[in-house]
Amino acid sequence: MSVQTRVMLDGRWTTRTLDIHQILARNREERQEMANGSPAEPGRPALGILTRTLVRSPVIKSIIPARVRHRSRNDVVFVYDDAIVIKEILGGERIEHDPFSPISLADVIEKKDFDSPLQAARILGLPREPKIPRFPGKDWSKSSDADRSQSSTETKANLLHENEVPPQILVLTLASRNLLFLFAYHDVHERVHFLSNTFPLPAQAAESEELGVHLAVDPKWSMDQIRQEVQRPQGLDTKSFMPIHEEKHTKVDGSILKMEFLHPSKGDEHHVILLLIISKGDSTLLVRFEWDCRGGLSGVERKPSQVLPKSKKLPNLLIPLIYRTSFAVVSGEQVTIYEGILTGIAQAQDCQLEIHEQLEGPRNSDRPLIWTHWARPMRPTKRLERGIDNIYLCREDGVVCYIDVREDSRPMISSSHSAGILKANLSNAFATLDLGRESNDVVIAAGEMSDGGLWYLRPRKSIEHVGTIRNWTPLKDITIAPFKTSTSSVAESDKQICRKAKRLFACSGRGPRHGAIAEIRMGTEAVKLGPTIELSELANNGILDLWALPYRTNNGIYLMLVRPTDTELILIRSAVHQDRQAASEAEEPSLNEETIAAGSTADGFIVEDPQAASEVEELSHNERTIAAGSTAEGFIVQGGHIIFEALGEPVRLPSEASSLALHWFENCIIAFVGTVAATLQMYTARAGLSLNPYFEYRFDDPSSICDSLAILTTEIQTIACDEVEISQLVLCGLRNGTVKTLWLNSGQVSHNTRLFSKENEETKSPGSKDSSLGERIQFLGRSTGSSDGAWPKVFGGCPLSPCETLTFGGTSVKVMADTTRTSRAFVMCQQTLYTVEYLGAASPTNPASVNKLWVTDPNLHAFQQGPATCIAQASSNIPHGCSEFAAGSLFYLSGSSLVVADISSFPRPEMVPRRLPLNGTPTTVLYSEHLDKLIVMYTTEVHQRGKRLRKGMAVQRTAPQPAIALVELDAEPVGLDLDGQDGPNILDSSCVLPGERFLGLVEWLPTVGERQHYMLVVHTATGQAGSQSAISRLLFFSLINDGGSATLKIDMDHKAEICAVAPYGRSSLVYGCGNDILLRFLDVESKKFRHPMKLTLRSPAVHISVKGLDIHVSTESHGHHILSVVEDKLVARWADRVSRPSAYHLVLPEQSLVLATDLDCRIAGLWQPPQPHLDRTTPLIFEAFLPRSITRLCRIQTQKDRLLLTQPEPQSTYSTSPINGKIGNGNVARAERYLSIENLLATCEDGTIYQLSLLDQASWTLLAYIQNMAMREPRICPYPHPRVGEQDLEPSMARKRDMHIDGDILNRLLERGGRRLLEEMLDEGASGRMLLDEMLVEDLPEDRWHRFLALTKEVFGGEGAVSPNSDMQVPNGELAESVLGWLRLLLMPAI
């Protein structure tokens, strides 16, 4: 709805048409400004902030083994703070002579659209049953697409039962006061979906109430009733999926500590017993509720309470036992079994846990160790029937205890002993996995500030670690370092790009064994298999190329090494051991020439193509072979001819070939040939017919010679549309350092559609041209006798069209299709490896996902991969005997070192951290440009003389000691001594007082005259703050012996604690001492400070930074302050309007903006005006509320620098992108402004990393409008807040918190439908009417489209063509797709 009104514009009254939404929003903003009494100021920016979660926190709250997809799917559910991930347990089957085969967890599906923290999680359904193998011995995470298609018959037979409700479902409690039930299922295309329903919890009566923190499930609850309601002959009925039929609210007086259902006695299955442990005052009570489930909740009775002894006042665990309605309470080092609670007072049986093991090394605290969780291993039914219950307990230091409980024994705990030490800090995430074994158990645990993993537990044998679950928490501090480039092999333009790229290092882990400096890396992981294989004797003359060829008659992989003069063939029999040998002469092909191409067929036969092919009987040619490829029919390119063996005469090429790729589709063959004339020739053929030249694509630059080719196929079914989209792309690795992606216009086809069709053939003369692509595309014509090779009538008959250009460097690029994923390719350029993948149907606005390929070593966390010389990938058709090689294993040659790695099958970029271990807990890290090293401050533990007694055991005395280390960026692991004596500490222990703690570290380079001094400034604290003995010191160290040691130069004592320090000017230092801010000037010659300037604030400083002459101070309780020096006095010029508990700040001088974060999970944008106001406050520009508090902020790179790493020409990369200058004349300037936006990284202590971007008013308004629509769309936000539907659709700037755009919601729009989903939201109003400012106004599709067009023009400008959905004008007829292309660039990851 719109109205006409008169407005004053440039001093003249003008008639304008305004939307009713705009008028109401403007009125609200004016009323808000009048209420605040702060009218808009000249020069005050109108900015918004876009946040996106780059890295999810690795903290796992719980691990639950469950079959939530199907009875045959052995899954485990990882529950995070705001997401769940279902993984399938693979491997572990018994193999002859190897009872402990490898185990892996394959990602199945993740769900992260809760928009609310998860509080608790449990499983509904009967207890787990022994494992039912789906496909025994088959590891589907390592299988290729070909393997899956070969097993289609078996898969379809299994899918006949996939539409069943699984035996267990997951129940979650959300912080939004909802109870959520969900399970997963497979559709006919083998894709996994979630089915869920919510149940609202009662409103919170008081702030102390935390409904949903504790969750218990009756173990007798069955899925039979739900299965009958949900299961339908035509599929699953989502509306009937609600397990709750009755509810009852009961108030409990006290704080609930533990809550569990007890197992009833045999023959009393309808009896329900709920047990609570409640803390009330100084007492801890056992509270019991009982009822008969057949009579409903009206019969719930509360039984008399029982007081627990003071020794069990704060129990660690409550464990319901299977027999006699008994339960166990674990407290300290004692387990108490309670029996007979149904008859009155429960009888207690105490059992002392005689576990004396602890992690090797010292332990400083006398606090009792806590048992964090318990798990019941899978046991056969006959063992349970005999009255035997087994329990695993895990302790926070990694000790696992095994308890054997017997029903007929007195005491019931017949034995308890240590099962081993997991060497990890443990939390609540602990469980046992079901592998169908009776005695050898597998436990899985997530680390608490350390890595977790999987372990085999075997009776009377040592524990065996078989897998790692990464954890990089806590992120105490971060620093940015530049990439290093080689001066010999990298062009100057590429060095400029590398200098703009950054590396991120962070403090990670806790304790001497888990503390480390983690390099934060995102990309695709390749896990190293076994040790590095040295080929120094074979690589003396250099290796030009590499092929990995599995052979059907040998247990191993043939590796073909191509040297300048000959070819070497070696046989690698084991990927785990360095087992290689030269191939026997009877098996090796002709190797006295340089090999151009090689491959293997599906039957295991090797096809090799040397330069002179005359020695091969089948290929008797006397011309030099330039490029070669093969299919089952044997296809090669020789010199200037193509030979398709036994299929007609050779076809003359217009110029010499440089690369070749074959694409087999149904029963058709397409040959792509790159030539030295910067063209790509296309040939088609069917079985039994000769090749037909069909098409020529000419690259823009004559130097763009195609040296390698890869064919990719993507297939996706979006949530918004049930159609299957298939896109086929040709990736051309060019000699100028770029990859040109061409779209193979085969249209949208199903699995039964044929690429070539007589009905769709279109004949063109050899000289005809396609006007849509100008002179770059030219038809060559085809043979008159090959009508079956006609191309379908799609896009005017033009088979190839440009999609995008990716830049990787300045030298030739090698592309290689991934044999295990048809949508992914490997790229090697300038000795660096990448993966290129198209997630979904490729289109001009769906760019490729480009990620670096990181090779990791599970046995060496600090492994740094060397520069890549050659790469090869084993075929997906690996023979059965090659059990140690995964399908598609990557062979990576760096110099003379060969690495075999297993490629991750995860489709999206993941966290691949590199860890530099330390002998302590790091707290501060900074990159020194002066030293070109990392400076790390950490706390280690050292042994003291003598021992002390702790509970009868002699324990080594220890004491914490601060230390400082200098770490090379690309060094091998820091030298460690687990006793803590010879770590990488550069400090002399005599500089440290007993009990002194190092709080912070900064670099200081004071300048006196022409001489610059280098110092490290450390502020410390001794004793408890505020006590008489408390001392705080400033220590000034200088480095000697090239940083080998540090010498203390100046020592300054203070009574108040020094909280933050920062350099100021040429030779000054500003720091916070208690509530005072002190500014001192140093006389370097006399080594004395002048009398300080002092300013007293209302609370201590937590962070200080200096920009120019301004001193920025974030305080503990009173927000942000800006100080300056005026007439030799330190004065406060600006102050925060809000008293916030500050955490950190970052100054952006270009925008006169300060980003301030606090402990209340807020991030605020504070504007620093040119001149102070009367109240001397900084106006609030925007405010964002996040799920967790941000503790560090840093500037990473601009949007333009980020695009240069993958897409150097944004103006010509996307033909319909809004930044290409096509949409309006003013678009280029807007694009440049967009590309200059900086990307900021924000980190939290729980390991979460956010990406922040500032938005101008026009961009914010458009994104806010899209976000408001998306929050009403159940396919994007399935669990919205109840008041979301009452909010205005029109963006409003009245509240500063509304200036926040949630990039995670917008990213779901891209992933779950993209253009179709956006158009559906614009075409269909949510309810027809909406409440705006207490007025009911129409919410019609025409109004949404007109408003969307108006907002788009404000961002990009220009006019457009006619929209297919209405009579309005839209840019280029692709308005929604253009906006989404711009949105993808905005959300592109910065690391």
Side-chain angles (χ1 to χ4, degrees):
M1 177 182 294
S2 59
V3 296
Q4 287 188 343
T5 184
R6 302 273 293 176
V7 297
M8 178 75 72
L9 184 64
D10 296 331
R12 303 177 62 182
W13 288 99
T14 306
T15 302
R16 286 294 176 90
T17 301
L18 297 179
D19 188 31
I20 186 66
H21 304 277
Q22 295 175 270
I23 298 175
L24 296 176
R26 189 174 301 171
N27 291 340
R28 287 193 301 273
E29 294 173 9
E30 293 176 356
R31 289 197 300 268
Q32 184 70 22
E33 290 181 356
M34 294 177 61
N36 294 337
S38 57
E41 307 169 37
R44 179 174 178 174
L47 298 175
I49 185 170
L50 171 68
T51 66
R52 183 203 170 184
T53 304
L54 279 186
V55 179
R56 183 183 58 222
S57 170
V59 177
I60 301 175
K61 301 180 68 172
S62 60
I63 298 177
I64 307 175
R67 301 183 186 274
V68 293
R69 283 189 297 159
H70 190 262
R71 55 185 174 83
S72 65
R73 308 277 179 154
N74 195 15
D75 293 335
V76 59
V77 181
F78 285 15
V79 181
Y80 296 87
D81 183 65
D82 52 7
I84 63 170
V85 176
I86 297 180
K87 297 176 180 284
E88 185 172 7
I89 307 169
L90 300 174
E93 289 82 6
R94 289 184 178 274
I95 301 177
E96 187 178 1
H97 307 304
D98 185 12
F100 305 103
S101 59
I103 301 174
S104 62
L105 297 177
D107 289 294
V108 176
I109 188 174
E110 67 176 349
K111 188 175 180 62
K112 52 184 180 180
D113 56 1
F114 300 103
D115 294 328
S116 176
L118 305 181
Q119 294 181 314
R122 286 296 182 95
I123 286 295
L124 287 175
L126 295 177
R128 289 182 294 162
E129 299 176 355
K131 177 185 176 184
I132 303 175
R134 176 167 56 118
F135 299 111
K138 186 66 174 177
D139 188 347
W140 282 98
S141 68
K142 305 295 190 287
S143 61
S144 63
D145 296 336
D147 294 330
R148 298 176 190 271
S149 62
Q150 290 174 4
S151 302
S152 59
T153 304
E154 187 175 6
T155 303
K156 291 179 180 179
N158 189 62
L159 282 175
L160 295 176
H161 306 284
E162 291 295 282
N163 275 341
E164 299 177 0
V165 176
Q168 296 171 324
I169 63 175
L170 188 65
V171 55
L172 305 166
T173 55
L174 308 182
S176 58
R177 310 196 70 78
N178 281 318
L179 196 63
L180 176 65
F181 303 91
L182 62 87
F183 64 88
Y185 67 95
H186 288 254
D187 61 12
V188 294
H189 300 288
E190 269 290 311
R191 288 166 305 184
V192 185
H193 305 277
F194 278 108
L195 191 149
S196 64
N197 206 344
T198 57
F199 183 83
L201 296 175
Q204 184 174 338
E207 293 185 1
S208 59
E209 293 185 2
E210 297 182 358
L211 192 61
V213 174
H214 298 280
L215 182 64
V217 175
D218 188 357
K220 305 184 305 299
W221 197 89
S222 174
M223 286 289 297
D224 292 339
Q225 186 175 2
I226 297 298
R227 187 175 292 108
Q228 294 175 2
E229 294 181 357
V230 179
Q231 186 68 39
R232 296 289 186 269
Q234 65 275 16
L236 298 175
D237 184 8
T238 60
K239 298 181 180 179
S240 302
F241 175 47
M242 175 47 67
I244 294 181
H245 297 276
E246 188 179 4
E247 63 176 322
K248 180 180 177 64
H249 303 161
T250 302
K251 186 174 180 59
V252 177
D253 188 12
S255 299
I256 301 176
L257 303 179
K258 305 291 179 182
M259 181 172 65
E260 292 286 353
F261 281 92
L262 301 183
H263 292 264
S265 303
K266 294 181 180 179
D268 195 15
E269 287 77 12
H270 300 291
H271 191 188
V272 182
I273 309 105
L274 177 64
L275 180 66
L276 288 78
I277 299 181
I278 295 177
S279 176
K280 182 180 180 182
D282 294 335
S283 302
T284 302
L285 309 176
L286 290 176
V287 179
R288 185 174 86 258
F289 294 88
E290 297 183 28
W291 69 96
D292 191 318
C293 63
R294 293 171 294 184
L297 298 179
S298 59
V300 175
E301 297 182 11
R302 176 170 178 169
K303 300 299 180 180
S305 303
Q306 179 178 344
V307 181
L308 290 178
K310 290 186 177 180
S311 61
K312 303 174 181 61
K313 186 176 180 179
L314 294 175
N316 300 148
L317 301 173
L318 171 62
I319 306 173
L321 301 179
I322 297 178
Y323 313 107
R324 296 185 179 179
T325 320
S326 55
F327 59 93
V329 175
V330 181
S331 181
E333 297 182 358
Q334 191 178 71
V335 177
T336 304
I337 303 293
Y338 287 87
E339 287 186 286
I341 193 172
L342 299 182
T343 60
I345 303 299
Q347 303 300 315
Q349 302 176 22
D350 293 335
C351 177
Q352 196 73 18
L353 294 176
E354 299 296 333
I355 306 296
H356 303 301
E357 296 183 70
Q358 65 176 8
L359 282 176
E360 300 176 9
R363 181 173 179 268
N364 186 52
S365 176
D366 289 330
R367 175 182 60 83
L369 294 170
I370 297 175
W371 297 95
T372 59
H373 204 59
W374 66 277
R376 180 174 282 116
M378 183 63 63
R379 292 291 182 262
T381 306
K382 60 181 180 179
R383 185 177 176 89
L384 300 177
E385 292 175 351
R386 291 185 300 182
I388 303 176
D389 195 4
N390 301 127
I391 301 293
Y392 279 110
L393 303 179
C394 70
R395 204 166 64 182
E396 60 177 330
D397 62 345
V399 172
V400 177
C401 177
Y402 184 76
I403 299 178
D404 188 70
V405 182
R406 297 179 183 268
E407 183 181 13
D408 54 357
S409 175
R410 288 298 177 270
M412 293 182 65
I413 298 181
S414 61
S415 65
S416 64
H417 61 274
S418 173
I421 301 178
L422 303 186
K423 294 186 178 181
N425 304 326
L426 301 185
S427 62
N428 294 335
F430 176 81
T432 60
L433 302 183
D434 173 26
L435 296 179
R437 300 181 176 184
E438 298 183 6
S439 58
N440 300 319
D441 297 319
V442 177
V443 298
I444 180 173
E448 177 74 13
M449 291 185 279
S450 70
D451 286 344
L454 293 87
W455 292 268
Y456 271 121
L457 300 183
R458 300 173 291 181
R460 295 171 296 279
K461 292 185 179 180
S462 60
I463 196 169
E464 181 183 354
H465 181 256
V466 293
T468 300
I469 300 175
R470 289 196 180 100
N471 190 340
W472 50 89
T473 61
L475 290 184
K476 288 285 188 180
D477 196 15
I478 61 172
T479 188
I480 298 294
F483 273 100
K484 293 183 178 180
T485 58
S486 174
T487 57
S488 59
S489 59
V490 181
E492 183 62 31
S493 59
D494 302 317
K495 293 179 187 178
Q496 295 290 340
I497 296 177
C498 292
R499 278 194 287 266
K500 294 177 181 179
K502 304 297 181 182
R503 301 171 69 179
L504 183 64
F505 293 88
C507 296
S508 172
R510 181 191 67 181
R513 293 186 174 275
H514 306 295
I517 296 299
E519 182 179 1
I520 306 300
R521 308 183 301 186
M522 293 288 291
T524 305
E525 182 180 14
V527 180
K528 185 180 175 186
L529 301 175
T532 302
I533 302 175
E534 290 297 331
L535 304 175
S536 55
E537 70 279 6
L538 301 177
N540 293 331
N541 297 328
I543 297 178
L544 301 179
D545 213 337
L546 187 70
W547 279 279
L549 309 170
Y551 199 53
R552 60 177 181 172
T553 60
N554 289 280
N555 182 14
I557 297 289
Y558 276 122
L559 204 62
M560 188 172 289
L561 310 175
V562 181
R563 292 180 293 208
T565 57
D566 60 356
T567 300
E568 183 78 20
L569 187 67
I570 62 175
L571 176 63
I572 302 179
R573 294 190 178 275
S574 174
V576 180
H577 308 91
Q578 293 191 17
D579 183 9
R580 67 175 180 87
Q581 64 184 48
S584 61
E585 297 180 359
E587 296 171 343
E588 65 182 45
S590 174
L591 302 177
N592 56 353
E593 299 282 349
E594 176 191 345
T595 299
I596 295 299
S600 62
T601 65
D603 298 327
F605 292 98
I606 295 178
V607 179
E608 188 242 358
D609 188 14
Q611 281 198 10
S614 58
E615 298 183 6
V616 183
E617 293 181 0
E618 295 85 355
L619 308 176
S620 55
H621 310 292
N622 53 10
E623 295 190 50
R624 181 175 178 268
T625 301
I626 301 299
S630 67
T631 64
E633 283 73 22
F635 190 99
I636 69 167
V637 173
Q638 181 188 5
H641 291 78
I642 292 182
I643 297 178
F644 193 18
E645 187 177 351
L647 294 180
E649 296 296 328
V651 178
R652 173 70 60 178
L653 292 176
S655 58
E656 187 177 9
S658 58
S659 58
L660 169 71
L662 302 179
H663 183 48
W664 179 266
F665 190 89
E666 297 289 344
N667 59 341
C668 303
I669 296 176
I670 308 173
F672 297 95
V673 183
T675 68
V676 295
T679 63
L680 180 65
Q681 307 293 328
M682 180 177 172
Y683 297 82
T684 63
R686 281 185 179 272
L689 299 178
S690 60
L691 287 170
N692 303 300
Y694 183 77
F695 194 78
E696 178 184 272
Y697 180 87
R698 184 171 296 277
F699 298 103
D700 298 329
D701 187 1
S703 63
S704 301
I705 298 174
C706 183
D707 284 337
S708 57
L709 289 162
I711 313 297
L712 302 186
T713 301
T714 64
E715 177 181 337
I716 188 173
Q717 180 179 13
T718 63
I719 296 179
C721 182
D722 293 334
E723 297 179 5
V724 176
E725 296 180 357
I726 296 179
S727 295
Q728 297 169 348
L729 299 106
V730 182
L731 269 63
C732 306
L734 305 184
R735 197 167 293 180
N736 60 4
T738 64
V739 172
K740 186 77 173 181
T741 302
L742 303 178
W743 195 3
L744 192 60
N745 296 331
S746 57
Q748 206 172 62
V749 296
S750 64
H751 291 286
N752 297 324
T753 303
R754 299 173 64 179
L755 183 62
F756 297 100
S757 173
K758 287 185 178 181
E759 291 76 12
N760 292 333
E761 79 171 283
E762 179 178 357
T763 305
K764 288 200 174 188
S765 62
S768 63
K769 297 183 180 181
D770 193 324
S771 59
S772 63
L773 293 175
E775 298 179 356
R776 294 186 299 138
I777 302 297
Q778 180 181 359
F779 284 98
L780 302 179
R782 23 180 205 90
S783 174
T784 57
S786 58
S787 60
D788 288 344
W791 195 265
K793 187 177 181 180
V794 181
F795 297 102
C798 177
L800 292 176
S801 59
C803 185
E804 64 177 329
T805 302
L806 309 174
T807 293
F808 294 91
T811 60
S812 179
V813 180
K814 178 179 179 179
V815 295
M816 181 178 66
D818 189 351
T819 61
T820 61
R821 292 185 63 85
T822 59
S823 60
R824 183 169 68 184
F826 300 105
V827 175
M828 184 179 71
C829 181
Q830 294 181 168
Q831 302 181 336
T832 305
L833 298 179
Y834 305 86
T835 60
V836 175
E837 184 164 11
Y838 285 87
L839 304 175
S843 66
T845 55
N846 182 23
S849 174
V850 181
N851 301 294
K852 279 195 174 182
L853 181 64
W854 302 107
V855 180
T856 61
D857 189 341
N859 300 317
L860 184 62
H861 297 302
F863 176 78
Q864 181 77 351
Q865 66 194 67
T869 305
C870 300
I871 58 172
Q873 189 181 23
S875 171
S876 59
N877 301 308
I878 289 185
H880 178 70
C882 302
S883 59
E884 291 184 355
F885 294 94
S889 293
L890 185 70
F891 291 80
Y892 163 76
L893 187 65
S894 177
S896 61
S897 300
L898 178 67
V899 174
V900 185
D902 182 18
I903 303 295
S904 171
S905 60
F906 196 67
R908 300 186 183 277
E910 55 185 340
M911 182 74 161
V912 190
R914 172 176 168 257
R915 295 171 60 89
L916 300 172
L918 293 167
N919 191 17
T921 302
T923 55
T924 303
V925 60
L926 60 90
Y927 170 72
S928 171
E929 294 184 2
H930 181 79
L931 302 175
D932 194 22
K933 294 180 181 179
L934 297 176
I935 305 177
V936 184
M937 187 178 70
Y938 64 101
T939 302
T940 186
E941 293 180 352
V942 295
H943 290 176
Q944 294 181 332
R945 292 183 179 180
K947 297 185 177 182
R948 55 188 173 89
L949 294 178
R950 178 177 176 270
K951 296 187 181 296
M953 294 187 300
V955 181
Q956 176 70 55
R957 290 182 178 272
T958 62
Q961 177 174 306
I964 297 177
L966 301 182
V967 181
E968 295 283 351
L969 298 181
D970 298 315
E972 290 299 320
V974 179
L976 299 181
D977 179 8
L978 297 180
D979 293 332
Q981 302 296 331
D982 298 320
N985 189 9
I986 64 173
L987 295 183
D988 188 350
S989 59
S990 62
C991 302
V992 183
L993 300 178
E996 190 170 26
R997 308 181 308 276
F998 281 16
L999 304 180
L1001 169 72
V1002 295
E1003 282 185 301
W1004 191 32
L1005 285 80
T1007 302
V1008 177
E1010 299 298 329
R1011 185 180 178 185
Q1012 188 179 62
H1013 302 265
Y1014 181 83
M1015 287 188 176
L1016 295 179
V1017 182
V1018 179
H1019 57 281
T1020 73
T1022 304
Q1024 187 175 1
S1027 63
Q1028 294 294 330
S1029 60
I1031 298 176
S1032 189
R1033 299 199 299 165
L1034 271 180
L1035 306 179
F1036 296 79
F1037 295 95
S1038 65
L1039 301 183
I1040 59 176
N1041 299 328
D1042 296 330
S1045 61
T1047 303
L1048 180 62
K1049 294 295 184 180
I1050 304 176
D1051 179 1
M1052 299 174 54
D1053 294 347
H1054 294 77
K1055 291 297 294 182
E1057 184 174 299
I1058 300 175
C1059 304
V1061 182
Y1064 182 84
R1066 290 169 56 89
S1067 58
S1068 305
L1069 203 66
V1070 59
Y1071 58 94
C1073 185
N1075 289 3
D1076 297 333
I1077 302 298
L1078 302 178
L1079 178 60
R1080 287 183 176 270
F1081 296 89
L1082 175 66
D1083 186 350
V1084 180
E1085 299 299 332
S1086 62
K1087 299 181 181 180
K1088 293 182 180 180
F1089 281 94
R1090 302 175 189 173
H1091 186 73
M1093 300 180 187
K1094 185 172 72 171
L1095 178 66
T1096 302
L1097 303 177
R1098 291 184 292 174
S1099 58
V1102 296
H1103 180 222
I1104 298 177
S1105 66
V1106 176
K1107 285 295 181 181
L1109 299 179
D1110 292 334
I1111 302 173
H1112 295 262
V1113 181
S1114 292
T1115 61
E1116 190 177 78
S1117 305
H1118 296 87
H1120 186 77
H1121 298 262
I1122 303 177
L1123 316 180
S1124 296
V1125 178
V1126 179
E1127 297 180 354
D1128 294 334
K1129 291 183 179 180
L1130 197 59
V1131 298
R1133 299 188 62 191
W1134 291 277
D1136 199 342
R1137 292 180 178 177
V1138 179
S1139 296
R1140 65 180 81 244
S1142 301
Y1144 201 77
H1145 70 259
L1146 179 66
V1147 182
L1148 303 176
E1150 296 83 358
Q1151 294 86 6
S1152 299
L1153 202 67
V1154 178
L1155 295 182
T1157 68
D1158 57 38
L1159 300 181
D1160 293 333
C1161 306
R1162 293 178 296 182
I1163 177 169
L1166 307 176
W1167 180 51
Q1168 181 179 347
Q1171 297 296 329
H1173 302 150
L1174 294 178
D1175 58 358
R1176 294 184 179 274
T1177 59
T1178 50
L1180 181 65
I1181 302 301
F1182 56 78
E1183 192 172 34
F1185 286 78
L1186 300 175
R1188 47 192 62 83
S1189 178
I1190 293 175
T1191 56
R1192 290 293 184 271
L1193 291 165
C1194 65
R1195 308 170 78 164
I1196 184 70
Q1197 59 189 5
T1198 65
Q1199 194 83 8
K1200 187 174 183 179
D1201 295 336
R1202 182 163 51 130
L1203 289 173
L1204 283 175
L1205 299 179
T1206 54
Q1207 298 156 1
E1209 301 171 346
Q1211 278 75 19
S1212 61
T1213 298
Y1214 305 106
S1215 59
T1216 59
S1217 174
I1219 66 171
N1220 62 0
K1222 300 290 186 180
I1223 306 177
N1225 298 327
N1227 181 61
V1228 175
R1230 293 179 181 269
E1232 290 297 328
R1233 182 176 58 185
Y1234 155 72
L1235 292 176
S1236 64
I1237 293 178
E1238 285 194 79
N1239 291 287
L1240 310 175
L1241 290 185
T1243 62
C1244 310
E1245 282 204 17
D1246 69 348
T1248 304
I1249 301 179
Y1250 292 103
Q1251 179 174 311
L1252 313 179
S1253 300
L1254 299 182
L1255 305 171
D1256 59 18
Q1257 183 175 358
S1259 300
W1260 170 82
T1261 307
L1262 175 59
L1263 294 180
Y1265 191 77
I1266 298 174
Q1267 177 181 259
N1268 292 343
M1269 290 190 296
M1271 293 177 66
R1272 300 164 181 261
E1273 173 56 54
R1275 288 170 289 186
I1276 300 176
C1277 297
Y1279 318 109
H1281 190 275
R1283 297 185 61 86
V1284 167
E1286 303 176 6
Q1287 295 180 355
D1288 299 344
L1289 190 63
E1290 177 66 26
S1292 171
M1293 303 177 64
R1295 296 190 308 172
K1296 299 307 178 185
R1297 67 170 58 184
D1298 293 335
M1299 302 299 292
H1300 172 220
I1301 301 297
D1302 191 343
D1304 294 338
I1305 294 179
L1306 299 180
N1307 197 49
R1308 287 182 224 154
L1309 169 63
L1310 299 176
E1311 293 176 350
R1312 301 185 179 185
R1315 173 182 174 180
R1316 287 193 183 92
L1317 190 52
L1318 178 58
E1319 290 178 347
E1320 287 182 13
M1321 293 190 300
L1322 291 168
D1323 287 337
E1324 300 177 6
S1327 58
R1329 289 175 178 267
M1330 60 186 303
L1331 184 64
L1332 290 181
D1333 212 25
E1334 300 181 355
M1335 296 176 56
L1336 277 176
V1337 297
E1338 298 292 334
D1339 180 27
L1340 302 177
E1342 293 79 5
D1343 295 333
R1344 287 193 177 188
W1345 269 105
H1346 279 287
R1347 183 60 179 144
F1348 183 68
L1349 174 60
L1351 295 177
T1352 304
K1353 287 183 178 180
E1354 290 180 10
V1355 177
F1356 307 118
E1359 300 293 336
V1362 178
S1363 167
N1365 300 296
S1366 64
D1367 295 333
M1368 60 176 293
Q1369 299 290 317
V1370 298
N1372 297 334
E1374 300 290 344
L1375 176 64
E1377 191 169 359
S1378 298
V1379 172
L1380 292 180
W1382 167 69
L1383 181 58
R1384 290 183 192 276
L1385 296 178
L1386 270 179
L1387 298 178
M1388 184 185 299
I1391 58 174

